[in-house]
Amino acid sequence: MTAGTATHERERVQADIGRRLGRWSRSAVVYGVVVALLAVIVGQWLDVSPPAAYGLCSACHGRDLTDWIVNHAEGKNLFVTAAGAGWPLLTVVGLVIGSFLAARRNGEYASINLGGNVRQFAFGAVVMGAALFVGGCPTRIIIRTGYGDLAGLLALGGVAAGIVMATLSMRWVARR
Amino acid sequence: MIVSLSSLALGVIVGYLGQRSRMCSIGGLRDYVLVRDTGLLRGAAALLVTAWVAFAVVRLISTSDMGHGLIAAGTTPSGLRAVVAIAVGAVVLGFVATLSGACPLRQHVLAGQGRVGAWSFLAGFYLAAIVYTSWISPSIGSWVL
């Protein structure tokens, strides 16, 4: 046994760990566990509260960020939650940056235009209105249900019903 | 200060994992209904179960009282009218989000990896946020967050 084989051994172990981490990061279950833990920790101890169970939400945090910008640039007084009133919440910016880094690192970044952009614009507007109305994007609805919020459970059931209706109607239209 | 840094760091981590796992909180049920694929549905179930367990642990070790039940700002939603309103709003949310192809969080991830449709989705998304808080929310009363 020489130093050379030991180094070789260590490199093999490191490569193995790297491959295993790469495989874990593609698992949806690992995503669910890590994201739920981080959202609870950030919401509970890292100032992203009140309201409760506010750790991760793409609709509410986006609303807080845009309203914060409008308030500071135009001197308006739009509604911002207590968490995002002082310093802005940058979750939505981080989402795009993190996804961009992951896509570049793994060679999946590509500018793809599938068309239907006006339709997507209208869908985005309706989704934001509905999400602010029921109290969060689908991800936060799940986290709120985990917190024990009955309104979150009701919204989760409603979203599930909406998904099933939309999927079945899309399939019905495609088969006609 | 801390809130900006922690939310930015959370966003980067969630965006990275979301791009790798292609996780979408409405995609799970859609895939199950269409092709009986449970991969993403198991991710959503893991999110729900882990959040439930983690909040229970936080309630045990936290000194401050977190409270239970409904989360609301301003007036608490109560009564049949609020239940019907939340249910109808949630059905609209699920329906339109499925038609647009992904949940809002997944649209941010798609925007980060270069999907043009996701960028136009986000343009409508943030315009609607300003419109909603400027005119719609004051007229219906901001009883939910």
Side-chain angles (χ1 to χ4, degrees), chain A residues 3-62:
Chain A
T5 55
T7 315
H8 185 70
E9 192 77 1
R10 194 187 304 146
E11 271 171 3
R12 202 176 60 80
V13 169
Q14 277 170 350
D16 198 42
I17 289 173
R19 204 165 58 235
R20 195 169 292 174
L21 281 178
R23 201 166 61 226
W24 280 350
S25 76
R26 286 205 299 275
S27 155
V29 174
V30 171
Y31 168 96
V33 171
V34 172
V35 167
L37 283 178
L38 284 175
V40 170
I41 289 169
V42 165
Q44 196 62 28
W45 288 293
L46 292 174
D47 286 5
V48 190
S49 67
Y54 201 54
L56 177 67
C57 175
S58 54
C60 320
H61 288 194

Short mmCIF file of all heavy atoms in Angstrom, two decimals, chain A residues 3-62:
data_model
loop_
_atom_site.label_atom_id
_atom_site.label_comp_id
_atom_site.label_asym_id
_atom_site.label_seq_id
_atom_site.Cartn_x
_atom_site.Cartn_y
_atom_site.Cartn_z
N ALA A 3 1.23 5.65 -0.99
CA ALA A 3 0.42 6.87 -0.93
C ALA A 3 -0.42 7.03 -2.19
O ALA A 3 -1.53 7.53 -2.15
CB ALA A 3 1.32 8.10 -0.74
N GLY A 4 0.14 6.55 -3.31
CA GLY A 4 -0.57 6.70 -4.58
C GLY A 4 -1.90 5.97 -4.57
O GLY A 4 -2.93 6.53 -4.96
N THR A 5 -1.90 4.72 -4.09
CA THR A 5 -3.17 3.98 -4.09
C THR A 5 -4.16 4.59 -3.11
O THR A 5 -5.36 4.59 -3.37
CB THR A 5 -2.91 2.51 -3.73
OG1 THR A 5 -2.23 2.47 -2.49
CG2 THR A 5 -2.13 1.83 -4.80
N ALA A 6 -3.65 5.15 -1.98
CA ALA A 6 -4.56 5.78 -1.02
C ALA A 6 -5.25 6.98 -1.65
O ALA A 6 -6.46 7.16 -1.51
CB ALA A 6 -3.79 6.22 0.23
N THR A 7 -4.47 7.81 -2.37
CA THR A 7 -5.07 8.96 -3.04
C THR A 7 -6.10 8.50 -4.06
O THR A 7 -7.19 9.05 -4.16
CB THR A 7 -3.98 9.77 -3.76
OG1 THR A 7 -2.89 9.91 -2.88
CG2 THR A 7 -4.49 11.13 -4.16
N HIS A 8 -5.74 7.44 -4.79
CA HIS A 8 -6.66 6.90 -5.79
C HIS A 8 -7.96 6.46 -5.13
O HIS A 8 -9.06 6.76 -5.62
CB HIS A 8 -5.98 5.72 -6.49
CG HIS A 8 -6.78 5.16 -7.61
ND1 HIS A 8 -6.98 5.86 -8.78
CD2 HIS A 8 -7.45 4.00 -7.72
CE1 HIS A 8 -7.74 5.13 -9.56
NE2 HIS A 8 -8.05 4.00 -8.96
N GLU A 9 -7.78 5.79 -3.96
CA GLU A 9 -8.96 5.32 -3.22
C GLU A 9 -9.86 6.50 -2.83
O GLU A 9 -11.07 6.46 -2.99
CB GLU A 9 -8.48 4.58 -1.97
CG GLU A 9 -9.55 3.81 -1.24
CD GLU A 9 -9.88 2.50 -1.95
OE1 GLU A 9 -9.26 2.19 -2.99
OE2 GLU A 9 -10.77 1.81 -1.46
N ARG A 10 -9.21 7.58 -2.32
CA ARG A 10 -10.00 8.72 -1.87
C ARG A 10 -10.73 9.37 -3.05
O ARG A 10 -11.90 9.72 -2.92
CB ARG A 10 -9.08 9.75 -1.20
CG ARG A 10 -9.86 10.80 -0.41
CD ARG A 10 -8.95 11.90 0.11
NE ARG A 10 -7.86 11.40 0.92
CZ ARG A 10 -6.66 11.96 0.95
NH1 ARG A 10 -6.40 13.01 0.22
NH2 ARG A 10 -5.70 11.47 1.71
N GLU A 11 -10.05 9.47 -4.19
CA GLU A 11 -10.72 10.05 -5.35
C GLU A 11 -11.93 9.22 -5.76
O GLU A 11 -12.97 9.76 -6.11
CB GLU A 11 -9.73 10.13 -6.53
CG GLU A 11 -8.95 11.43 -6.56
CD GLU A 11 -7.85 11.39 -7.58
OE1 GLU A 11 -7.76 10.38 -8.29
OE2 GLU A 11 -7.08 12.36 -7.65
N ARG A 12 -11.78 7.89 -5.68
CA ARG A 12 -12.88 7.02 -6.06
C ARG A 12 -14.07 7.24 -5.13
O ARG A 12 -15.22 7.35 -5.57
CB ARG A 12 -12.43 5.56 -6.01
CG ARG A 12 -13.27 4.64 -6.86
CD ARG A 12 -12.71 3.24 -6.83
NE ARG A 12 -12.69 2.71 -5.47
CZ ARG A 12 -13.78 2.19 -4.88
NH1 ARG A 12 -14.91 2.14 -5.51
NH2 ARG A 12 -13.69 1.72 -3.65
N VAL A 13 -13.77 7.39 -3.80
CA VAL A 13 -14.85 7.61 -2.82
C VAL A 13 -15.52 8.95 -3.08
O VAL A 13 -16.74 9.07 -3.07
CB VAL A 13 -14.28 7.54 -1.39
CG1 VAL A 13 -15.31 8.04 -0.39
CG2 VAL A 13 -13.87 6.13 -1.06
N GLN A 14 -14.68 9.99 -3.38
CA GLN A 14 -15.26 11.32 -3.63
C GLN A 14 -16.15 11.29 -4.87
O GLN A 14 -17.24 11.85 -4.86
CB GLN A 14 -14.16 12.36 -3.81
CG GLN A 14 -13.64 12.89 -2.47
CD GLN A 14 -12.39 13.72 -2.64
OE1 GLN A 14 -11.81 13.76 -3.73
NE2 GLN A 14 -11.98 14.38 -1.58
N ALA A 15 -15.68 10.61 -5.92
CA ALA A 15 -16.49 10.53 -7.13
C ALA A 15 -17.80 9.81 -6.84
O ALA A 15 -18.87 10.19 -7.34
CB ALA A 15 -15.71 9.80 -8.22
N ASP A 16 -17.73 8.77 -5.98
CA ASP A 16 -18.92 8.02 -5.62
C ASP A 16 -19.92 8.93 -4.89
O ASP A 16 -21.11 8.92 -5.21
CB ASP A 16 -18.51 6.85 -4.73
CG ASP A 16 -19.60 5.80 -4.69
OD1 ASP A 16 -20.16 5.53 -5.76
OD2 ASP A 16 -19.89 5.29 -3.60
N ILE A 17 -19.40 9.74 -3.92
CA ILE A 17 -20.29 10.64 -3.18
C ILE A 17 -20.91 11.66 -4.11
O ILE A 17 -22.11 11.94 -4.05
CB ILE A 17 -19.50 11.34 -2.04
CG1 ILE A 17 -19.16 10.34 -0.95
CG2 ILE A 17 -20.30 12.50 -1.47
CD1 ILE A 17 -18.26 10.89 0.11
N GLY A 18 -20.09 12.20 -5.03
CA GLY A 18 -20.61 13.18 -5.98
C GLY A 18 -21.73 12.59 -6.83
O GLY A 18 -22.76 13.22 -7.03
N ARG A 19 -21.53 11.35 -7.30
CA ARG A 19 -22.56 10.73 -8.13
C ARG A 19 -23.83 10.48 -7.33
O ARG A 19 -24.94 10.68 -7.80
CB ARG A 19 -22.02 9.43 -8.71
CG ARG A 19 -22.73 9.02 -10.00
CD ARG A 19 -21.98 7.96 -10.75
NE ARG A 19 -21.78 6.76 -9.96
CZ ARG A 19 -20.59 6.20 -9.74
NH1 ARG A 19 -19.51 6.74 -10.26
NH2 ARG A 19 -20.46 5.12 -9.01
N ARG A 20 -23.62 10.06 -6.06
CA ARG A 20 -24.79 9.77 -5.23
C ARG A 20 -25.56 11.06 -4.95
O ARG A 20 -26.80 11.07 -5.01
CB ARG A 20 -24.33 9.14 -3.91
CG ARG A 20 -25.46 8.50 -3.16
CD ARG A 20 -24.95 7.66 -2.03
NE ARG A 20 -24.21 6.48 -2.46
CZ ARG A 20 -23.58 5.66 -1.62
NH1 ARG A 20 -23.56 5.93 -0.34
NH2 ARG A 20 -22.94 4.61 -2.07
N LEU A 21 -24.84 12.19 -4.65
CA LEU A 21 -25.52 13.47 -4.43
C LEU A 21 -26.27 13.91 -5.68
O LEU A 21 -27.39 14.40 -5.60
CB LEU A 21 -24.52 14.55 -4.02
CG LEU A 21 -24.06 14.53 -2.56
CD1 LEU A 21 -23.04 15.62 -2.32
CD2 LEU A 21 -25.24 14.69 -1.63
N GLY A 22 -25.64 13.70 -6.85
CA GLY A 22 -26.30 14.06 -8.09
C GLY A 22 -27.58 13.27 -8.29
O GLY A 22 -28.59 13.80 -8.75
N ARG A 23 -27.56 11.97 -7.91
CA ARG A 23 -28.76 11.16 -8.06
C ARG A 23 -29.84 11.59 -7.07
O ARG A 23 -31.01 11.69 -7.41
CB ARG A 23 -28.40 9.69 -7.84
CG ARG A 23 -29.42 8.74 -8.46
CD ARG A 23 -28.88 7.35 -8.54
NE ARG A 23 -28.54 6.81 -7.24
CZ ARG A 23 -27.41 6.17 -6.95
NH1 ARG A 23 -26.50 6.00 -7.88
NH2 ARG A 23 -27.17 5.70 -5.74
N TRP A 24 -29.40 11.90 -5.80
CA TRP A 24 -30.38 12.33 -4.79
C TRP A 24 -31.05 13.64 -5.21
O TRP A 24 -32.24 13.82 -4.98
CB TRP A 24 -29.69 12.51 -3.44
CG TRP A 24 -29.48 11.23 -2.72
CD1 TRP A 24 -30.01 10.02 -3.07
CD2 TRP A 24 -28.71 11.02 -1.55
NE1 TRP A 24 -29.60 9.07 -2.18
CE2 TRP A 24 -28.81 9.65 -1.25
CE3 TRP A 24 -27.94 11.84 -0.72
CZ2 TRP A 24 -28.18 9.10 -0.15
CZ3 TRP A 24 -27.32 11.31 0.36
CH2 TRP A 24 -27.42 9.93 0.65
N SER A 25 -30.27 14.57 -5.79
CA SER A 25 -30.86 15.87 -6.12
C SER A 25 -31.89 15.74 -7.23
O SER A 25 -32.68 16.65 -7.44
CB SER A 25 -29.77 16.86 -6.53
OG SER A 25 -29.34 16.57 -7.84
N ARG A 26 -31.92 14.60 -7.96
CA ARG A 26 -32.95 14.44 -8.98
C ARG A 26 -34.19 13.75 -8.44
O ARG A 26 -35.14 13.53 -9.16
CB ARG A 26 -32.39 13.63 -10.16
CG ARG A 26 -31.44 14.44 -11.01
CD ARG A 26 -31.38 13.91 -12.42
NE ARG A 26 -30.92 12.54 -12.47
CZ ARG A 26 -29.64 12.18 -12.50
NH1 ARG A 26 -28.71 13.12 -12.47
NH2 ARG A 26 -29.30 10.94 -12.58
N SER A 27 -34.18 13.40 -7.13
CA SER A 27 -35.33 12.71 -6.57
C SER A 27 -36.35 13.71 -6.05
O SER A 27 -36.00 14.65 -5.34
CB SER A 27 -34.86 11.80 -5.44
OG SER A 27 -35.91 11.57 -4.54
N ALA A 28 -37.62 13.51 -6.42
CA ALA A 28 -38.67 14.42 -5.97
C ALA A 28 -38.89 14.29 -4.46
O ALA A 28 -39.23 15.27 -3.80
CB ALA A 28 -39.97 14.14 -6.72
N VAL A 29 -38.69 13.08 -3.92
CA VAL A 29 -38.91 12.89 -2.48
C VAL A 29 -37.87 13.67 -1.69
O VAL A 29 -38.19 14.32 -0.68
CB VAL A 29 -38.88 11.39 -2.15
CG1 VAL A 29 -38.95 11.18 -0.65
CG2 VAL A 29 -40.02 10.67 -2.83
N VAL A 30 -36.59 13.63 -2.14
CA VAL A 30 -35.55 14.41 -1.47
C VAL A 30 -35.88 15.89 -1.54
O VAL A 30 -35.75 16.63 -0.55
CB VAL A 30 -34.17 14.11 -2.10
CG1 VAL A 30 -33.12 15.07 -1.58
CG2 VAL A 30 -33.77 12.69 -1.82
N TYR A 31 -36.37 16.35 -2.70
CA TYR A 31 -36.81 17.74 -2.83
C TYR A 31 -37.86 18.07 -1.78
O TYR A 31 -37.75 19.07 -1.08
CB TYR A 31 -37.36 17.98 -4.24
CG TYR A 31 -38.10 19.29 -4.43
CD1 TYR A 31 -37.45 20.41 -4.94
CD2 TYR A 31 -39.45 19.41 -4.10
CE1 TYR A 31 -38.13 21.60 -5.12
CE2 TYR A 31 -40.12 20.60 -4.27
CZ TYR A 31 -39.46 21.69 -4.78
OH TYR A 31 -40.13 22.86 -4.94
N GLY A 32 -38.88 17.20 -1.66
CA GLY A 32 -39.96 17.47 -0.71
C GLY A 32 -39.45 17.59 0.71
O GLY A 32 -39.79 18.53 1.43
N VAL A 33 -38.59 16.63 1.13
CA VAL A 33 -38.11 16.62 2.51
C VAL A 33 -37.25 17.86 2.78
O VAL A 33 -37.46 18.60 3.75
CB VAL A 33 -37.31 15.32 2.77
CG1 VAL A 33 -36.62 15.40 4.11
CG2 VAL A 33 -38.22 14.12 2.70
N VAL A 34 -36.26 18.14 1.88
CA VAL A 34 -35.34 19.26 2.09
C VAL A 34 -36.09 20.59 2.09
O VAL A 34 -35.89 21.45 2.95
CB VAL A 34 -34.23 19.23 1.02
CG1 VAL A 34 -33.39 20.49 1.10
CG2 VAL A 34 -33.36 18.01 1.18
N VAL A 35 -36.99 20.77 1.11
CA VAL A 35 -37.70 22.04 0.98
C VAL A 35 -38.61 22.28 2.17
O VAL A 35 -38.67 23.39 2.70
CB VAL A 35 -38.47 22.08 -0.35
CG1 VAL A 35 -39.44 23.23 -0.39
CG2 VAL A 35 -37.50 22.19 -1.50
N ALA A 36 -39.31 21.22 2.63
CA ALA A 36 -40.19 21.41 3.78
C ALA A 36 -39.39 21.78 5.02
O ALA A 36 -39.74 22.70 5.76
CB ALA A 36 -41.00 20.14 4.03
N LEU A 37 -38.25 21.08 5.25
CA LEU A 37 -37.42 21.39 6.42
C LEU A 37 -36.91 22.82 6.36
O LEU A 37 -36.99 23.58 7.33
CB LEU A 37 -36.24 20.42 6.51
CG LEU A 37 -36.56 19.02 7.03
CD1 LEU A 37 -35.30 18.16 7.01
CD2 LEU A 37 -37.11 19.10 8.44
N LEU A 38 -36.38 23.23 5.17
CA LEU A 38 -35.84 24.58 5.03
C LEU A 38 -36.93 25.63 5.22
O LEU A 38 -36.72 26.66 5.86
CB LEU A 38 -35.19 24.75 3.66
CG LEU A 38 -33.84 24.09 3.49
CD1 LEU A 38 -33.37 24.23 2.06
CD2 LEU A 38 -32.81 24.71 4.42
N ALA A 39 -38.13 25.37 4.65
CA ALA A 39 -39.21 26.35 4.77
C ALA A 39 -39.62 26.53 6.22
O ALA A 39 -39.87 27.65 6.67
CB ALA A 39 -40.40 25.90 3.92
N VAL A 40 -39.68 25.41 6.98
CA VAL A 40 -40.05 25.51 8.39
C VAL A 40 -38.98 26.27 9.16
O VAL A 40 -39.27 27.17 9.96
CB VAL A 40 -40.26 24.11 8.98
CG1 VAL A 40 -40.41 24.19 10.49
CG2 VAL A 40 -41.48 23.47 8.38
N ILE A 41 -37.68 25.95 8.90
CA ILE A 41 -36.59 26.60 9.63
C ILE A 41 -36.56 28.09 9.32
O ILE A 41 -36.49 28.93 10.22
CB ILE A 41 -35.24 25.92 9.27
CG1 ILE A 41 -35.18 24.53 9.87
CG2 ILE A 41 -34.08 26.76 9.75
CD1 ILE A 41 -34.03 23.69 9.36
N VAL A 42 -36.64 28.44 8.03
CA VAL A 42 -36.58 29.85 7.63
C VAL A 42 -37.78 30.61 8.18
O VAL A 42 -37.66 31.72 8.69
CB VAL A 42 -36.51 29.95 6.09
CG1 VAL A 42 -36.80 31.35 5.63
CG2 VAL A 42 -35.14 29.53 5.61
N GLY A 43 -38.97 29.99 8.12
CA GLY A 43 -40.15 30.67 8.62
C GLY A 43 -40.14 30.83 10.13
O GLY A 43 -40.68 31.80 10.65
N GLN A 44 -39.51 29.87 10.84
CA GLN A 44 -39.58 29.90 12.29
C GLN A 44 -38.47 30.72 12.93
O GLN A 44 -38.72 31.48 13.87
CB GLN A 44 -39.52 28.46 12.80
CG GLN A 44 -39.97 28.30 14.24
CD GLN A 44 -41.41 28.70 14.41
OE1 GLN A 44 -42.20 28.60 13.47
NE2 GLN A 44 -41.78 29.18 15.58
N TRP A 45 -37.23 30.60 12.40
CA TRP A 45 -36.10 31.21 13.10
C TRP A 45 -35.36 32.26 12.30
O TRP A 45 -34.52 32.95 12.85
CB TRP A 45 -35.12 30.13 13.55
CG TRP A 45 -35.64 29.32 14.68
CD1 TRP A 45 -35.88 29.76 15.95
CD2 TRP A 45 -36.00 27.95 14.67
NE1 TRP A 45 -36.38 28.75 16.72
CE2 TRP A 45 -36.46 27.62 15.97
CE3 TRP A 45 -35.98 26.96 13.69
CZ2 TRP A 45 -36.89 26.34 16.31
CZ3 TRP A 45 -36.41 25.69 14.02
CH2 TRP A 45 -36.85 25.39 15.32
N LEU A 46 -35.62 32.38 11.01
CA LEU A 46 -34.84 33.34 10.22
C LEU A 46 -35.71 34.49 9.72
O LEU A 46 -35.54 34.97 8.61
CB LEU A 46 -34.15 32.62 9.05
CG LEU A 46 -33.04 31.66 9.49
CD1 LEU A 46 -32.49 30.88 8.32
CD2 LEU A 46 -31.92 32.43 10.16
N ASP A 47 -36.65 34.92 10.53
CA ASP A 47 -37.36 36.19 10.37
C ASP A 47 -38.43 36.22 9.28
O ASP A 47 -39.05 37.25 9.11
CB ASP A 47 -36.38 37.35 10.11
CG ASP A 47 -35.64 37.74 11.37
OD1 ASP A 47 -35.83 37.06 12.38
OD2 ASP A 47 -34.89 38.72 11.34
N VAL A 48 -38.62 35.12 8.50
CA VAL A 48 -39.66 35.17 7.47
C VAL A 48 -41.00 34.84 8.12
O VAL A 48 -41.63 33.83 7.84
CB VAL A 48 -39.35 34.23 6.29
CG1 VAL A 48 -40.30 34.48 5.14
CG2 VAL A 48 -37.94 34.46 5.81
N SER A 49 -41.44 35.70 9.03
CA SER A 49 -42.72 35.58 9.71
C SER A 49 -42.94 36.90 10.46
O SER A 49 -41.98 37.62 10.66
CB SER A 49 -42.72 34.41 10.69
OG SER A 49 -41.83 34.68 11.75
N PRO A 50 -44.14 37.26 10.92
CA PRO A 50 -45.41 36.65 10.63
C PRO A 50 -45.87 37.00 9.21
O PRO A 50 -45.32 37.90 8.63
CB PRO A 50 -46.33 37.28 11.68
CG PRO A 50 -45.74 38.61 11.95
CD PRO A 50 -44.27 38.45 11.75
N PRO A 51 -46.87 36.37 8.67
CA PRO A 51 -47.77 35.35 9.21
C PRO A 51 -47.09 34.01 9.39
O PRO A 51 -45.95 33.83 8.97
CB PRO A 51 -48.85 35.25 8.13
CG PRO A 51 -48.17 35.66 6.90
CD PRO A 51 -47.21 36.72 7.31
N ALA A 52 -47.78 33.08 10.02
CA ALA A 52 -47.22 31.76 10.29
C ALA A 52 -47.11 30.96 9.00
O ALA A 52 -47.82 31.21 8.03
CB ALA A 52 -48.10 31.02 11.29
N ALA A 53 -46.19 29.98 9.00
CA ALA A 53 -46.00 29.06 7.87
C ALA A 53 -45.76 29.83 6.58
O ALA A 53 -46.34 29.56 5.54
CB ALA A 53 -47.19 28.11 7.71
N TYR A 54 -44.88 30.84 6.64
CA TYR A 54 -44.67 31.73 5.50
C TYR A 54 -43.31 31.49 4.86
O TYR A 54 -42.85 32.30 4.09
CB TYR A 54 -44.79 33.19 5.98
CG TYR A 54 -45.09 34.18 4.91
CD1 TYR A 54 -46.17 34.02 4.07
CD2 TYR A 54 -44.29 35.31 4.74
CE1 TYR A 54 -46.46 34.94 3.10
CE2 TYR A 54 -44.58 36.24 3.77
CZ TYR A 54 -45.66 36.05 2.94
OH TYR A 54 -45.94 36.96 1.98
N GLY A 55 -42.65 30.38 5.20
CA GLY A 55 -41.27 30.18 4.77
C GLY A 55 -41.07 30.20 3.27
O GLY A 55 -40.11 30.79 2.77
N LEU A 56 -41.97 29.55 2.52
CA LEU A 56 -41.79 29.47 1.08
C LEU A 56 -43.13 29.64 0.39
O LEU A 56 -44.08 28.93 0.68
CB LEU A 56 -41.19 28.11 0.69
CG LEU A 56 -41.02 27.89 -0.82
CD1 LEU A 56 -39.97 28.82 -1.36
CD2 LEU A 56 -40.64 26.46 -1.09
N CYS A 57 -43.21 30.64 -0.49
CA CYS A 57 -44.42 30.84 -1.29
C CYS A 57 -44.03 31.68 -2.48
O CYS A 57 -43.45 32.75 -2.32
CB CYS A 57 -45.50 31.54 -0.48
SG CYS A 57 -46.96 31.95 -1.43
N SER A 58 -44.30 31.18 -3.68
CA SER A 58 -43.89 31.97 -4.84
C SER A 58 -44.86 33.10 -5.11
O SER A 58 -44.46 34.16 -5.57
CB SER A 58 -43.73 31.08 -6.06
OG SER A 58 -44.89 30.35 -6.29
N ALA A 59 -46.15 32.92 -4.81
CA ALA A 59 -47.12 33.97 -5.09
C ALA A 59 -47.06 35.08 -4.04
O ALA A 59 -46.93 36.26 -4.38
CB ALA A 59 -48.53 33.39 -5.15
N CYS A 60 -47.10 34.70 -2.74
CA CYS A 60 -47.12 35.73 -1.69
C CYS A 60 -45.81 36.49 -1.64
O CYS A 60 -45.80 37.71 -1.49
CB CYS A 60 -47.38 35.13 -0.32
SG CYS A 60 -48.57 33.84 -0.28
N HIS A 61 -44.66 35.78 -1.76
CA HIS A 61 -43.38 36.46 -1.71
C HIS A 61 -43.21 37.36 -2.94
O HIS A 61 -42.63 38.44 -2.83
CB HIS A 61 -42.24 35.45 -1.61
CG HIS A 61 -42.16 34.79 -0.27
ND1 HIS A 61 -41.07 34.06 0.13
CD2 HIS A 61 -43.03 34.74 0.75
CE1 HIS A 61 -41.28 33.59 1.35
NE2 HIS A 61 -42.46 33.98 1.74
N GLY A 62 -43.73 36.91 -4.09
CA GLY A 62 -43.68 37.76 -5.28
C GLY A 62 -44.52 39.01 -5.09
O GLY A 62 -44.12 40.11 -5.47
#
